[in-house]
Amino acid sequence: MGFPRVITRSFTTHTHTMQNLFSELKSFSVNKLHPTKTVVRTLGVPDETTTAEARVVENVKYLSATRAEMHGSAHKSHWGPPRMIVECDVEARPGYSSCKAHEFHDQPDVLEEKIQTLADLIKKSQRMLVYTGAGISTASGIHDYATRFTDAHNGEQPQQRLLSPMDAQPTIAHRCVTALYSAGFVKHWVQQNHDGLPQKAGFPQSCLNEIHGAWYDPSNPVVKMSGNLRSDLFEWLLEWEVQTDLCLTMGTSLSGMN
């Protein structure tokens, strides 16, 4: 059985201009963070086989797993388990190697230490790769496939209503990755999404592998569920699998198709 996704969006910073963004990353302090509020609304969640409820958890519940499964191989012994903030006992991706659609937040002190640990890993890396899924684009108004509680948001503002997904603008995640590239840390980006938001944030096409296809590139059409990946992009993916010394994965549970 797969384990639920652990998301770390319980705290947010104010949006900054691109000129100040990377300096803010380097000078991160928990004092700059503030708790956010979750919009509480119970809703039915249909899928192909069942209807279930996704709801905000009123009683305190925590993720039950090993420390390595909760926090990764670089975990520290005093890190507590993530707290469940949305309970939804259905499969996030029915029909695939999936996990439950529960949502969790790291505890504030653990989140702060994780950020410092990640910063240390990034500074030590020479060939850093970023691997992203639909979750980094939801704040722009583009919906993902696995999230069930759509009214839970990051506390700053509800998801935008778009006339077209092509109107979407880059999120803070896209801008941060681009800032890390500009600073020389990120060398390559494997993008599972089709939305073109990395390019809108200023990330160069030459270092971006849109492995599942792209809306804006006629030579790289979106790959259907029953389709095949473009052979040159797949080979590029395999090359970076060998080259990279640090892979930062965001916005994906890694529990879908193989």
Side-chain angles (χ1 to χ4, degrees), residues 38-45 52-58 86-87 148-152:
T38 300
V39 174
V40 180
R41 190 176 301 167
T42 302
L43 69 161
V45 183
E53 283 191 342
R55 59 186 179 84
V56 171
V57 178
E58 297 180 357
V86 170
E87 185 171 17
R148 300 294 178 171
F149 194 74
T150 56
D151 284 333

Side-chain angles (χ1 to χ4, degrees), residues 18 142 162 164-171 174-175 178 189 195-205 208 215-216:
M18 282 301 296
I142 301 175
L162 301 175
S164 166
M166 290 188 174
D167 294 332
Q169 295 301 309
T171 66
H174 296 97
R175 299 189 186 280
T178 301
W189 189 341
D195 50 36
L197 296 185
Q199 296 94 318
K200 289 183 179 179
F203 198 88
Q205 186 70 48
L208 180 68
W215 293 339
Y216 300 96

Side-chain angles (χ1 to χ4, degrees), residues 5 91-93 101 103 144-149 253:
R5 293 167 296 149
E91 295 296 311
R93 299 293 294 271
E103 297 187 15
D144 64 354
Y145 299 102
T147 300
R148 300 294 178 171
F149 194 74
S253 64

Side-chain angles (χ1 to χ4, degrees), residues 153-218:
H153 60 79
N154 64 9
E156 291 182 339
Q157 60 182 9
Q159 291 182 358
Q160 302 175 44
R161 302 286 183 179
L162 301 175
L163 295 177
S164 166
M166 290 188 174
D167 294 332
Q169 295 301 309
T171 66
I172 293 177
H174 296 97
R175 299 189 186 280
C176 285
V177 173
T178 301
L180 287 169
Y181 171 83
S182 298
F185 293 109
V186 172
K187 307 298 185 183
H188 191 69
W189 189 341
V190 178
Q191 154 87 325
Q192 295 185 102
N193 306 332
H194 326 297
D195 50 36
L197 296 185
Q199 296 94 318
K200 289 183 179 179
F203 198 88
Q205 186 70 48
S206 60
C207 297
L208 180 68
N209 186 346
E210 294 175 289
I211 188 67
H212 291 171
W215 293 339
Y216 300 96
D217 184 357

Side-chain angles (χ1 to χ4, degrees), residues 11 13 22-33 108 111-113 115-116:
F11 294 85
T13 57
F22 190 67
S23 63
E24 288 295 328
L25 289 173
K26 293 192 293 184
S27 62
F28 169 81
S29 169
V30 73
N31 295 325
K32 296 181 180 180
L33 303 178
L111 176 59
E112 182 182 8
E113 290 193 35
I115 291 171
Q116 185 58 60

Side-chain angles (χ1 to χ4, degrees), residues 34-138:
H34 60 272
T36 65
K37 297 179 180 179
T38 300
V39 174
V40 180
R41 190 176 301 167
T42 302
L43 69 161
V45 183
D47 60 33
E48 296 176 354
T49 59
T50 186
T51 298
E53 283 191 342
R55 59 186 179 84
V56 171
V57 178
E58 297 180 357
N59 299 322
V60 177
K61 295 183 179 180
Y62 295 96
L63 178 61
S64 177
T66 67
R67 291 190 182 277
E69 288 164 337
M70 290 188 291
H71 304 303
S73 59
H75 70 276
K76 298 180 180 178
S77 60
H78 63 275
W79 285 359
R83 179 176 178 176
M84 181 185 290
I85 52 97
V86 170
E87 185 171 17
C88 188
D89 195 27
V90 298
E91 295 296 311
R93 299 293 294 271
Y96 299 101
S97 175
S98 187
C99 61
K100 298 296 184 181
H102 307 312
E103 297 187 15
F104 296 82
H105 281 173
D106 269 314
Q107 298 179 39
D109 58 329
V110 176
L111 176 59
E112 182 182 8
E113 290 193 35
K114 281 187 174 182
I115 291 171
Q116 185 58 60
T117 299
L118 175 60
D120 293 340
L121 290 171
I122 290 174
K123 287 185 287 188
K124 293 176 182 177
S125 69
Q126 299 295 320
R127 304 284 291 176
M128 179 180 171
L129 162 71
V130 176
Y131 186 97
T132 60
I136 71 165
S137 295
T138 54

